[in-house]
Amino acid sequence: MVDNHSADHDTECLRVLGEALNHLSGGFADLPSTQSAENPDALSEILNNVAERMRDNFPYQHPFYLGQMLKPPHPVASLAYALAMAINPNNHAMDGGRASSQMEKEAVRQIARMVGWESALGHLCGGGTIANLEALWVAREVNQHAPVFASSQAHYTHERCCQLLGVPFHSVPCDNSGRMDVQRLEEMLDGSSQATIVVTLGTTGLGVVDPLDQVLELRDRVPCRIHVDAAYGGYFRLAKNLEPATKRQFSLMQEADSIVIDPHKHGLQPYGCGCVLFRDPAVARVYKHDSPYTYFTSDDLHLGEISFECSRPGASAVALWATLQRFPLTVDGEFAQGLESSRTAATLLSDWIDQSPDFVRIVDPELDIVVWSVAADSAKESSMLAERFFHEAAKRNVHLAMLQVPKALAEVARPDLKWDRDTLVCLRACLMKPEHQEWLPRILEVLDSCRRDLFQDRSH
Ligand SMILES: *Cc1c(COP(=O)(O)O)cnc(C)c1O
């Protein structure tokens, strides 16, 4: 069992939380006291049962876990969330969550500033799916039900959102590296000037960045609405060690009409924290409603008037606000350095793959995701060996993911393969944790031992 767990650290965190809870309850000291009838000791058995059940998980919190996109929340986020739960505010409206609504506005403003917007409209929501749905809904309303175009590597949520919205969806082919092929997009648009283009900055599978610069040039010729899905990659705008072409796409984000960034992906937040931003605050008109249930004490446009969801956890906003106090979104700050070290970890893993005769990399890692395949004669054999490698590494506590890469994409990296199936099972690592760089030598040691044990008898 991997042991990174420090009970002392947990105890210290709970002490800090206890102090803050006391401070918070002091604000309500003039109310008659209410004693909870619940005996905490009686909950112990249930909580231990929960702990037992939760041991079933992969160790998402540990640097040895590099499979799916899971990054643990920072303690400041978890503690602030727990603190807010003493109140359980609802950010649907000012009256349900006063301070937390204000904190949401402040936190969202900081994310908007990070992408270069001073007066954007935006708010938090349940996650990238809802955030993208909202952006595509607003696009539908201001863009006369125009069709949506997204690359074949875009998140599948876009196609599903379009089904919900009753808007036509078109999948645009990718180039050899998994980026949207903008020439093909232009052919598909065929001069029609009503379209919404989804540009993904950091695709979920391969972690590659669509050419926003080319889509912006296209917009000069063929007017269209541009939505940037940066649910995963958005914060990389702060990283200094990207390739120049990648950096360029992030530096152009402010030219889009709407942007989605998930604080619960790379922003150190518990799940349930997405963010949608609109460059033109006037799109607030799309949300307009006259609910008799909403509140009238705030002069300001309250969050319930500019968000699709109604009840939302104020605790999410509190956690994000607290995290931004600890990690301001600055180019040279500690948070940006964490992203840079993730990126460095990805290039180190990529170098290791390139040096190994047993592996073939699929694309150049652009952010912190690496996808690679196993050397073999056929796609079937390569896929089978990737699966074996995945299980062997998991046995030794290093957790990768498997990804089905379509033949059209994998073929470029693997012209050597006999293609006896339509997809290639590849190995994938998300090096999202800031400590992944420091841990990489130990991770590579484990991967190397798997490689030797599984592949030593093969001739190349
Ligand atoms: C994760 C992701 C989504 C979906 O977001 P959820 O928070 O999982 O709902 C959408 N787009 C991209 C690019 C993503 O990485």
Side-chain angles (χ1 to χ4, degrees):
M1 183 62 208
V2 186
D3 184 19
N4 74 316
H5 188 81
S6 152
D8 287 352
H9 184 257
D10 281 358
T11 308
E12 274 304 289
C13 283
L14 288 177
R15 181 185 59 75
V16 170
L17 177 60
E19 283 171 13
L21 280 167
N22 272 336
H23 189 151
L24 174 57
S25 65
F28 301 92
D30 53 349
L31 285 164
S33 84
T34 56
Q35 274 302 323
S36 167
E38 199 66 36
N39 171 8
D41 287 337
L43 303 180
S44 160
E45 190 185 337
I46 297 175
L47 277 183
N48 274 300
N49 284 342
V50 171
E52 185 60 35
R53 295 288 296 262
M54 296 295 281
R55 287 170 65 151
D56 165 59
N57 282 296
F58 298 118
Y60 311 119
Q61 70 284 6
H62 193 277
F64 267 17
Y65 183 87
L66 28 126
Q68 307 294 350
M69 283 178 175
L70 289 139
K71 181 173 179 173
H74 191 273
V76 72
S78 306
L79 290 171
Y81 199 104
L83 178 59
M85 289 313 289
I87 304 281
N88 193 27
N90 182 343
N91 274 17
H92 178 200
M94 277 304 275
D95 280 12
R98 287 155 58 86
S100 52
S101 291
Q102 198 50 44
M103 287 156 111
E104 173 166 342
K105 288 182 181 181
E106 290 171 28
V108 168
R109 199 177 309 133
Q110 289 176 62
I111 295 178
R113 285 212 177 113
M114 176 183 78
V115 304
W117 286 346
E118 277 303 323
S119 58
L121 187 81
H123 62 88
L124 302 179
C125 58
T129 301
I130 294 291
N132 278 303
L133 177 63
E134 243 179 87
L136 294 180
W137 170 56
V138 168
R140 185 191 78 176
E141 295 304 299
V142 301
N143 213 9
Q144 294 162 27
H145 286 245
V148 171
F149 293 77
S151 93
S152 58
Q153 286 291 314
H155 199 282
Y156 67 86
T157 195
H158 295 287
E159 183 165 8
R160 224 157 51 172
C161 289
C162 287
Q163 280 170 13
L164 262 173
L165 293 168
V167 168
F169 175 86
H170 301 285
S171 178
V172 183
C174 284
D175 68 10
N176 296 342
S177 344
R179 300 184 189 97
M180 180 192 266
D181 184 334
V182 179
Q183 209 174 329
R184 291 295 303 277
L185 169 66
E186 184 157 10
E187 288 160 19
M188 290 170 78
L189 286 175
D190 195 24
S192 114
S193 65
Q194 287 287 341
T196 298
I197 316 296
V198 176
V199 177
T200 308
L201 300 186
T203 56
T204 317
L206 299 168
V208 302
V209 174
D210 278 345
L212 177 58
D213 52 357
Q214 292 176 34
V215 177
L216 289 167
E217 279 168 30
L218 170 64
R219 182 171 71 177
D220 290 340
R221 298 189 294 276
V222 186
C224 55
R225 191 176 165 88
I226 297 178
H227 169 60
V228 164
D229 181 0
Y232 176 65
Y235 288 105
F236 276 96
R237 183 167 156 112
L238 299 173
K240 287 199 293 197
N241 61 350
L242 306 178
E243 290 296 323
T246 308
K247 183 125 197 61
R248 180 171 157 73
Q249 312 314 326
F250 284 104
S251 74
L252 291 167
M253 283 171 92
Q254 68 273 13
E255 304 298 324
D257 295 289
S258 52
I259 296 175
V260 161
I261 295 178
D262 265 0
H264 74 198
K265 285 262 177 75
H266 245 306
L268 301 166
Q269 297 310 296
Y271 285 114
C273 193
C275 179
V276 61
L277 299 165
F278 298 95
R279 186 180 53 188
D280 177 9
V283 300
R285 72 177 185 278
V286 172
Y287 290 87
K288 208 165 154 36
H289 65 83
D290 294 306
S291 160
Y293 305 108
T294 41
Y295 312 79
F296 300 101
T297 54
S298 163
D299 304 335
D300 234 334
L301 206 58
H302 71 65
L303 290 162
E305 285 173 312
I306 54 155
S307 101
F308 190 76
E309 292 168 286
C310 297
S311 293
R312 293 182 301 111
S316 283
V318 172
L320 180 61
W321 187 91
T323 307
L324 292 173
Q325 296 287 300
R326 172 70 179 79
F327 299 104
L329 300 175
T330 54
V331 168
D332 291 304
E334 197 180 336
F335 178 68
Q337 283 164 14
L339 296 170
E340 285 160 10
S341 76
S342 281
R343 158 99 188 116
T344 303
T347 52
L348 292 172
L349 174 60
S350 180
D351 291 346
W352 175 81
I353 292 161
D354 288 349
Q355 282 157 21
S356 160
D358 295 306
F359 295 125
V360 184
R361 194 164 36 76
I362 293 295
V363 292
D364 255 337
E366 259 193 289
L367 302 176
D368 54 3
I369 297 177
V370 186
V371 178
W372 72 102
S373 60
V374 181
D377 295 330
S378 71
K380 266 190 190 156
E381 192 193 346
S382 174
S383 297
M384 187 264 294
L385 292 171
E387 241 170 274
R388 263 205 226 156
F389 190 85
F390 166 84
H391 289 296
E392 191 61 33
K395 265 195 236 159
R396 299 172 201 205
N397 256 326
V398 168
H399 298 272
L400 303 168
M402 287 185 283
L403 180 72
Q404 303 261 0
V405 178
K407 175 183 169 187
L409 239 170
E411 220 171 15
V412 186
R414 302 300 307 270
D416 57 310
L417 279 185
K418 180 173 147 243
W419 280 92
D420 47 7
R421 46 177 287 164
D422 294 338
T423 61
L424 183 65
V425 178
C426 292
L427 296 154
R428 169 168 172 267
C430 292
L431 298 144
M432 294 178 79
K433 298 180 181 111
E435 59 275 22
H436 267 141
Q437 183 182 353
E438 193 189 321
W439 277 77
L440 204 68
R442 285 182 66 179
I443 292 167
L444 291 182
E445 218 173 276
V446 176
L447 295 183
D448 231 4
S449 74
C450 296
R451 190 182 65 80
R452 280 194 307 270
D453 291 356
L454 279 180
F455 302 143
Q456 62 185 351
D457 299 331
R458 300 194 313 150
S459 57
H460 295 287

